[in-house]
Amino acid sequence: MTATVHRLGSRPPASLDPMIAITAHDMNCVNAVILDRMQSDIPLIPKLAGHLIAGGGKRMRPMLTLASAALIGYAGTRHHRLAAAVEFIHTATLLHDDVVDGSDLRRGKRTANIIWGNPASVLVGDFLFSRSFELMVEDGSLKVLKILSNASAVIAEGEVNQLTAIRRLDLSEERYLDIIGAKTAALFAAACRIAAVVAERSEAEEQALDAYGRNLGIAFQLVDDAIDYVSDADTMGKDAGDDFREGKMTLPVILAYARGDAEARAFWMSAIREGKSDDAALAEAIRRMNETRAVEDTLARARHYGQRAIDSLGMFSAGAAKDAMVEAVEFAVARAY
């Protein structure tokens, strides 16, 4: 077995194209499962689910299951249904999140809750969760069921934790990392790890893939939270400043508040705690983040976790799959540039 050392930022501009290429055939199989299992005799269910599932997402989480299987040389087909289960879990959480957040846009399109209403979005999300568990049970592995069901519970815990932290200016960086580790990174980790389970690989390989996915997920969310303040709706697929208007305590706000003087802290109290977050306040928030390097340091932390993800692949042999997974980390971090 050979090990190749990769350094984040040492390569040309990154994309998901290599991962898309190595998983293309398997992804066609996964898409067939998704299309089949989102069907229902109730027409609104496939219509609403299809609005989000076909809404232009990169399907990064199921792709990670497929890429991890390619990395370890798995030649079976069990991972197709499990990757579909991962996508259903993710889609269900998005439907629920948009209701909780009152979001208007998702991937540049109107959210399902805006088109069909909150009750329909919540119930179709429940339907997709149920479909994901059907697929897990059909696989027959109690270990896979445990990993994915635990991830589903952890995601819900992370969302509740985030909800209770809204407008809490005393939120610590440690708790923030707990939140994103649960609501985002848990599914990335599970998506990667289950490939090793179905391939009956060693516990060490399971843990390495888990660590890759977990660190990638944290880096991915850190970048998302940063670009809420430095990007726009065309780039992000949602309105710029949504987190700010909703009073979410993401790392850029935590750092800017902690580093600010009395005047700055008074501003953050008004904007976050009291909800005075119009466009002028958003512009002021961005100015103060630039002064304190809050966004820049958030992205530096993303690069740190990205490097940890890459390092987690050290035990695996070099090849196209490993290169694609390294580049996926590069892509996740480079979205902000």
Side-chain angles (χ1 to χ4, degrees):
M1 181 177 292
T2 61
T4 304
V5 176
H6 295 276
R7 291 295 173 201
L8 196 57
S10 64
R11 297 156 54 89
S15 79
L16 279 181
D17 289 348
M19 184 175 285
I20 292 170
I22 67 164
T23 61
H25 171 73
D26 287 323
M27 187 56 75
N28 286 337
C29 298
V30 174
N31 287 335
V33 176
I34 290 171
L35 183 62
D36 177 58
R37 294 308 181 93
M38 63 184 263
Q39 298 307 311
S40 167
D41 292 335
I42 311 301
L44 179 59
I45 290 176
K47 188 173 183 180
L48 192 153
H51 173 78
L52 186 53
I53 289 173
K58 296 179 178 64
R59 301 246 164 97
M60 190 168 186
R61 291 154 188 82
M63 260 202 295
L64 287 172
T65 300
L66 303 179
S68 296
L71 178 72
I72 56 181
Y74 176 64
T77 60
R78 288 171 58 191
H79 59 322
H80 295 157
R81 288 187 175 189
L82 294 176
V86 167
E87 182 65 5
F88 280 152
I89 293 170
H90 176 56
T91 305
T93 61
L94 294 185
L95 286 169
H96 290 167
D97 288 353
D98 286 341
V99 171
V100 172
D101 295 341
S103 300
D104 296 330
L105 289 176
R106 167 75 63 181
R107 299 168 184 161
K109 297 172 59 177
R110 286 197 302 161
T111 53
N113 54 298
I114 294 299
I115 299 172
W116 289 284
N118 289 341
S121 290
V122 170
L123 293 172
V124 172
D126 292 344
F127 172 85
L128 294 179
F129 265 126
S130 300
R131 282 292 195 236
S132 74
F133 279 89
E134 283 182 351
L135 290 165
M136 294 177 218
V137 170
E138 288 171 14
D139 177 71
S141 167
L142 283 177
K143 188 169 189 179
V144 165
L145 180 60
K146 181 178 180 180
I147 291 168
L148 288 177
S149 61
N150 177 257
S152 299
V154 169
I155 292 165
E157 287 177 333
E159 294 291 353
V160 174
N161 196 6
Q162 178 173 263
L163 186 65
T164 60
I166 293 289
R167 305 194 187 283
R168 290 284 304 272
L169 281 166
D170 60 344
L171 188 75
S172 67
E173 185 174 341
E174 180 181 18
R175 184 175 170 193
Y176 163 81
L177 288 171
D178 285 343
I179 289 170
I180 67 172
K183 73 171 193 142
T184 302
L187 189 56
F188 276 75
C192 295
R193 184 178 179 182
I194 57 175
V197 176
V198 300
E200 300 181 349
R201 302 301 285 257
S202 69
E203 180 70 20
E205 288 175 290
E206 277 188 45
Q207 293 302 324
L209 287 172
D210 184 288
Y212 168 81
R214 194 171 305 279
N215 285 295
L216 172 57
I218 292 173
F220 190 93
Q221 188 61 55
L222 283 164
V223 172
D224 261 13
D225 291 346
I227 63 179
D228 190 63
Y229 292 96
V230 296
S231 192
D232 53 41
D234 289 340
T235 303
M236 297 190 308
K238 65 174 186 174
D239 291 328
D242 273 357
D243 291 347
F244 177 71
R245 295 183 185 92
E246 293 162 13
K248 288 183 179 178
M249 287 300 296
T250 58
L251 189 58
V253 177
I254 293 170
L255 295 178
Y257 179 73
R259 296 169 179 178
D261 57 17
E263 180 185 346
R265 291 191 171 208
F267 162 77
W268 290 112
M269 290 281 287
S270 172
I272 298 295
R273 186 167 293 178
E274 298 171 20
K276 298 177 181 177
S277 51
D278 58 15
D279 288 347
L282 175 59
E284 179 68 7
I286 293 169
R287 185 185 71 80
R288 292 186 180 277
M289 285 179 179
N290 289 335
E291 282 183 348
T292 57
R293 298 168 56 93
V295 170
E296 185 176 343
D297 286 348
T298 297
L299 294 175
R301 283 165 172 76
R303 290 192 293 274
H304 165 75
Y305 283 100
Q307 187 62 58
R308 288 178 62 175
I310 291 171
D311 292 344
S312 299
L313 298 177
M315 70 183 299
F316 299 104
S317 300
K322 184 173 181 177
D323 288 345
M325 292 176 74
V326 169
E327 187 153 355
V329 178
E330 297 268 7
F331 168 79
V333 174
R335 292 176 303 137
Y337 296 97

